[in-house]
Amino acid sequence: MPKRTPATPSRRAANSPFAKLAENTASPSGTSPSARAGKTGSPRASAEPRDPHDAFLLPRTAEQTYHRRLRTLLQDFVREVTAWEEVHTLDGIKWASDTKQIWEEMHGVLRPTDTDGAAAHDDERLRASMIPLLQSLEQASMQLNKMLERLRKHSARITALADMGTDLLVETADGGREAFAFVEPMWATWTMDRFVRALQSLALQYAVSTSEVAALVPRLCEPSDDPAMLGGKRAALEEFVRLPYLHPSGLSSAAPAFASDASLTTGASRHFLENVWLQGHDGRAAPDVLGPMWPTPDDLCPTQTSIDQQQTEEAIHELVAPYEAACTALPGLRRAEHAAFLLRILEPLSARYVAFDSNRAWLIYWIAHSLDLMGMPLQGAMQARAISTLLHFQDVERGGFGGGPGQIGHLMSTYAAVCALAIVGGPGGAPSAADIEQGRSVDVGRGGWDCIEKETLYAWMMHLKQPDGSFLVHEQGEIDVRATYCVVVVASLLGLVTEELLDGVGAYVASCQTYEGGFAAMSCAEYAVRDGIVRPLGAVAEQAAQGEAHGGYAFCALASHAQLALVDRAAPIATEALVRWAVSLQGTAYEGGGFRGRTNKLVDGCYGWFCGGGLLTCVEGLVHPPAPEEVEEDDGDASWDSVSEHDGDLLDRAALQTYILAVAQQTSGGLCDKPGKRPDAYHTCYNLSGLSMTQHRLRPSRAAAARAAAACGRTDALQRAVYAQSLAWVRVGSAAPRGAVGVTHPVFNVALRHVERMLAYGYA
């Protein structure tokens, strides 16, 4: 029988030593092939179901004695801990709750009911009511004391098992296996000493919780002369339900000892409080016992998805925990390092970027926008080169911009090129070779905007438009709601919006909304030829969305919808479902507050913009009334935390900023997806865009729109409305903090000042 290879570290579940790490696929030595196949009569076919705690990564044939001894010890430890919590939850909380209820009933029987306050009880009726209650109280008290004795036995066994773990560690180290004890991971997860430290930490916490139960039982059972006796009984029950006290990071790399009450959270008994315990008679709600840093529950049936989730959570938690526990200020934005990282990508490009030949417009946009948000824009020769390079991507004959020179026009590349030109360019023709050499461009009136072939571009976009209001991404290409977004943005920035271009677009965007509330990539249309014209068979808004809701598509669809809604060209969407889906994408505190792009997926830094700052800012602009006048910028000490105190916030801005600065930000420069991923221009751009929305809260303003409309040079009503509403977004709330990044437009994702410049040029 061939020797099995131990599983790789990428398969480990690093969240807890007591979770089921992986299925043991190794067959017992000597098992026949038929038995391994699970045929009738084989040992495996007739075996009992696997113990959920009997799980490990390393096949037993490859284990050493220390593996087997530690595994047995861990299994026994988990059984004792589980037994402790079952006794506490199933028996203890039941009898504690009954005891509190009995005292309340006795209080009701003894309480005077006549208006003069005199005793109004008939002795016989009083005895008839009180005797059963006293008997029930005696029974509950006896059961609580029995429960306490059982908890003490389990706690003693838990402590003994933890001590056995310490003895095993000492024995291993004294036997000349120091590396095995302190360096080499067990089952490709933790080292032995980390397992032992976790056991000791948990054993101490269960011992303290047992002592707390011993103190609470008399408080629940014994009478008191205190007039507020019932309040004391209820308080005792609340404390009882909170047990066992477990430190929220008790299984982290540091394996800390028992912490203060301020940082405690509960074990399995929290489920009783969530689902069973009702509000007290004094109207107080059940206390919040769920710790803010609790990981995603593990069902002890690992899959690659759950393993990846656990590993990602653990890696993120180790990065954000210091700032949560010690109230330490978040690290600042490393502008110099990020700028150096981005400029290295521009010149020269490394060999691995050869696959980006069709995405060169995007590279320039990501880098230019990132540098601009950090207040370090491209200047001089680099700015002139960027303008010249982007103009060489334009398909002058057919329209649009390609991803590189000589490539056909593509709507996504056109969006990137136009937005990049909005950032680095300006009015005038293209910079010459001499201009590039001398570092001149916008400052001498050669910003390249005059070279954009608007008429050809408009005709090309109309050529890509489909009968249901959708757009092809390029000639003979696929349909994608991102293409719709690119058309809306490019046409809005360059003053190319017409009724013909927007006809049916709002209905198509609405048709991409899924049952979850988000938006998919496209919807499916059916066509028929009527009167020689190809038309959709049914209502476009009722076309079936294709695929699941996705953050990138959802932002493009919702940003398009927001822009159309502001000029009364949008179709209705399910706003409540959208809000419910969108806010559910922000991760927990244990995940650093980052955003995921789809339901049940891992968090990712780029979705801090697509699902966080960008998407939810657009949603807030739709569901809340227009903002009053914008606040004045100042250099005050106002914390950005105060921004999230306003009514209507749909995202936790503090949590998202924590993820961006503490998790995605790399000390060597650049921002990344999540821990373990390399930084790149794409994630740097969208992390910084999301950061902008955490530091600046934007809403559309009627006053700002009115001022813009008065300044617009166009007479067409639709174009005046597009111009005005594109400039309607203003800052609200507290002033930006010191060191904040620039303000980006929530629809276009270009700095507001550049949007204003290009609109003034395009609508002149």
Side-chain angles (χ1 to χ4, degrees):
M1 180 176 178
K3 183 177 180 180
R4 294 183 178 271
T5 304
T8 61
S10 63
R11 294 284 300 173
R12 70 178 183 270
N15 185 49
S16 167
F18 312 123
K20 184 177 182 182
L21 301 178
E23 291 292 339
N24 177 19
T25 57
S27 301
S29 178
T31 304
S32 66
S34 62
R36 291 195 301 271
K39 293 184 178 180
T40 304
S42 69
R44 183 174 294 276
S46 60
E48 293 294 324
R50 185 189 302 275
D51 185 335
H53 303 303
D54 183 16
F56 43 88
L57 280 173
L58 198 65
R60 294 195 180 188
T61 55
E63 285 186 338
Q64 300 183 25
T65 301
Y66 295 113
H67 288 95
R68 290 189 288 271
R69 291 176 62 183
L70 181 60
R71 185 185 69 249
T72 301
L73 191 150
L74 291 175
Q75 291 169 348
D76 292 342
F77 189 92
V78 170
R79 291 189 183 98
E80 290 299 330
V81 166
T82 303
W84 193 103
E85 294 205 8
E86 287 178 351
V87 171
H88 171 266
T89 303
L90 301 180
D91 295 336
I93 294 180
K94 173 187 180 302
W95 290 110
S97 181
D98 287 352
T99 302
K100 188 264 297 184
Q101 184 65 33
I102 292 169
W103 281 111
E104 289 180 343
E105 292 179 8
M106 291 173 64
H107 180 75
V109 170
L110 295 173
R111 184 170 52 195
T113 57
D114 66 326
T115 56
D116 297 329
H121 300 292
D122 179 84
D123 290 342
E124 290 297 329
R125 296 179 63 184
L126 180 62
R127 281 196 295 271
S129 300
M130 288 295 295
I131 289 176
L133 291 175
L134 290 171
Q135 291 174 340
S136 298
L137 181 62
E138 183 179 5
Q139 173 71 8
S141 177
M142 180 179 64
Q143 294 295 336
L144 281 174
N145 281 284
K146 287 183 178 180
M147 177 273 307
L148 177 58
E149 289 304 313
R150 293 171 64 189
L151 288 184
R152 284 171 171 161
K153 290 180 180 179
H154 288 303
S155 179
R157 292 170 186 163
I158 290 171
T159 301
L161 288 168
D163 292 340
M164 290 172 61
T166 302
D167 294 341
L168 178 60
L169 178 65
V170 173
E171 177 186 337
T172 305
D174 290 346
R177 302 297 301 275
E178 292 87 351
F180 192 84
F182 301 104
V183 179
E184 298 177 5
M186 307 284 290
W187 305 291
T189 54
W190 287 359
T191 57
M192 181 183 288
D193 77 304
R194 187 175 174 190
F195 275 108
V196 171
R197 284 187 286 121
L199 292 178
Q200 290 288 358
S201 175
L202 287 171
L204 174 60
Q205 295 174 57
Y206 277 98
V208 172
S209 297
T210 303
S211 299
E212 181 72 8
V213 172
L216 289 173
V217 168
R219 287 175 56 189
L220 285 165
C221 298
E222 295 177 0
S224 171
D225 296 331
D226 188 351
M229 179 187 69
L230 286 184
K233 303 299 183 186
R234 292 170 187 157
L237 177 60
E238 290 179 11
E239 293 182 35
F240 195 100
V241 172
R242 289 176 183 269
L243 297 171
Y245 286 148
L246 297 179
H247 191 277
S249 57
L251 298 179
S252 69
S253 58
F258 190 68
S260 65
D261 287 351
S263 62
L264 298 179
T265 187
T266 61
S269 58
R270 69 185 185 278
H271 301 299
F272 174 87
L273 185 63
E274 292 172 345
N275 301 315
V276 180
W277 193 51
L278 302 177
Q279 292 188 354
H281 290 286
D282 56 0
R284 292 181 300 168
D288 179 14
V289 299
L290 290 178
M293 300 291 280
W294 197 264
T296 301
D298 183 7
D299 60 3
L300 300 181
C301 295
T303 63
Q304 188 61 52
T305 299
S306 65
I307 291 172
D308 290 344
Q309 177 70 27
Q310 290 174 343
Q311 290 178 336
T312 301
E313 286 186 359
E314 188 74 14
I316 292 173
H317 178 58
E318 290 184 2
L319 293 172
V320 302
Y323 305 103
E324 293 286 343
C327 298
T328 306
L330 289 172
L333 185 64
R334 298 177 176 271
R335 282 177 163 82
E337 291 85 348
H338 301 327
F341 169 78
L342 293 168
L343 292 174
R344 284 198 302 270
I345 299 175
L346 274 182
E347 183 183 18
L349 283 173
S350 63
R352 64 190 177 93
Y353 279 95
V354 66
F356 278 73
D357 183 59
S358 61
N359 290 313
R360 292 170 65 180
W362 279 106
L363 283 172
I364 296 176
Y365 164 70
W366 293 331
I367 294 171
H369 184 46
S370 299
L371 293 171
D372 187 63
L373 287 178
M374 293 190 294
M376 308 172 72
L378 290 174
Q379 294 178 332
M382 193 67 75
Q383 181 183 13
R385 287 183 59 192
I387 296 170
S388 177
T389 300
L390 289 165
L391 292 175
H392 279 84
F393 298 164
Q394 186 171 204
D395 188 341
V396 178
E397 295 183 1
R398 288 171 291 189
F401 288 77
Q407 299 178 18
I408 65 170
H410 193 293
L411 277 174
M412 276 70 154
S413 299
T414 301
Y415 164 86
V418 170
C419 288
L421 284 170
I423 297 168
V424 302
S432 64
D435 291 331
I436 295 174
E437 184 177 353
Q438 298 176 23
R440 303 177 305 188
S441 57
V442 177
D443 54 329
V444 294
R446 286 188 282 276
W449 288 355
D450 290 359
C451 296
I452 300 176
E453 299 290 342
K454 292 185 180 181
E455 293 184 3
T456 308
L457 175 59
Y458 177 82
W460 173 69
M461 290 191 296
M462 286 300 304
H463 178 66
L464 296 178
K465 189 176 181 184
Q466 302 301 296
D468 65 346
S470 62
F471 290 85
L472 301 175
V473 295
H474 60 80
E475 192 170 350
Q476 298 184 2
E478 72 274 15
I479 293 172
D480 192 324
V481 76
R482 293 175 299 176
T484 302
Y485 167 73
C486 294
V487 168
V488 170
V489 171
V490 169
S492 297
L493 286 174
L494 297 178
L496 302 178
V497 175
T498 64
E499 295 286 0
E500 180 186 31
L501 184 68
L502 297 186
D503 182 41
V505 172
Y508 176 75
V509 169
S511 72
C512 295
Q513 189 171 23
T514 73
Y515 72 94
E516 293 179 271
F519 290 82
M522 60 176 291
S523 66
C524 184
E526 295 184 15
Y527 295 106
V529 178
R530 294 197 295 267
D531 301 327
I533 301 175
V534 178
R535 304 178 188 274
L537 275 177
V540 172
E542 297 177 2
Q543 293 176 177
Q546 302 296 295
E548 66 177 316
H550 185 284
Y553 299 120
F555 167 74
C556 291
L558 198 278
S560 302
H561 175 83
Q563 184 73 354
L564 295 172
L566 291 174
V567 296
D568 297 324
R569 297 300 189 280
I573 62 172
T575 306
E576 290 186 6
L578 171 64
V579 171
R580 182 171 58 251
W581 175 80
V583 298
S584 73
L585 297 178
Q586 187 161 23
T588 64
Y590 209 85
E591 296 172 289
F595 277 81
R596 54 181 46 84
R598 288 178 286 167
T599 304
N600 291 331
K601 294 295 183 179
L602 300 176
V603 293
D604 183 335
C606 69
Y607 292 118
W609 167 256
F610 290 120
C611 300
L615 176 68
L616 290 177
T617 297
C618 290
V619 173
E620 289 175 357
L622 292 173
V623 301
H624 298 305
E629 288 294 321
E630 63 269 29
V631 300
E632 295 294 330
E633 296 284 353
D634 62 46
D635 294 326
D637 293 329
S639 168
W640 68 273
D641 286 337
S642 61
V643 176
S644 62
E645 295 172 3
H646 292 268
D647 293 337
D649 260 354
L650 296 178
L651 74 153
D652 188 335
R653 286 175 162 83
L656 177 56
Q657 183 166 241
T658 298
Y659 185 91
I660 294 170
L661 294 178
V663 178
Q665 181 173 221
Q666 304 297 293
T667 57
S668 58
L671 292 97
C672 68
D673 168 349
K674 60 178 67 68
K677 301 291 186 179
R678 291 183 177 180
D680 53 54
Y682 168 86
H683 284 94
T684 299
C685 172
Y686 292 113
N687 269 294
L688 291 174
S689 300
L691 181 63
S692 175
M693 292 294 95
T694 69
Q695 298 174 335
H696 309 281
R697 191 163 180 267
L698 303 183
R699 288 275 187 85
S701 163
R702 288 197 183 99
R707 289 195 299 269
C712 181
R714 297 289 180 93
T715 58
D716 181 82
L718 175 59
Q719 293 191 352
R720 286 176 63 87
V722 170
Y723 177 86
Q725 296 302 333
S726 297
L727 295 176
W729 293 91
V730 298
R731 287 194 67 258
V732 296
S734 302
R738 286 197 178 101
V741 298
V743 189
T744 192
H745 196 287
V747 174
F748 304 148
N749 200 16
V750 174
L752 288 180
R753 67 182 188 280
H754 296 313
V755 171
E756 186 174 358
R757 285 195 310 120
M758 180 163 263
L759 288 173
Y761 169 83
Y763 289 79

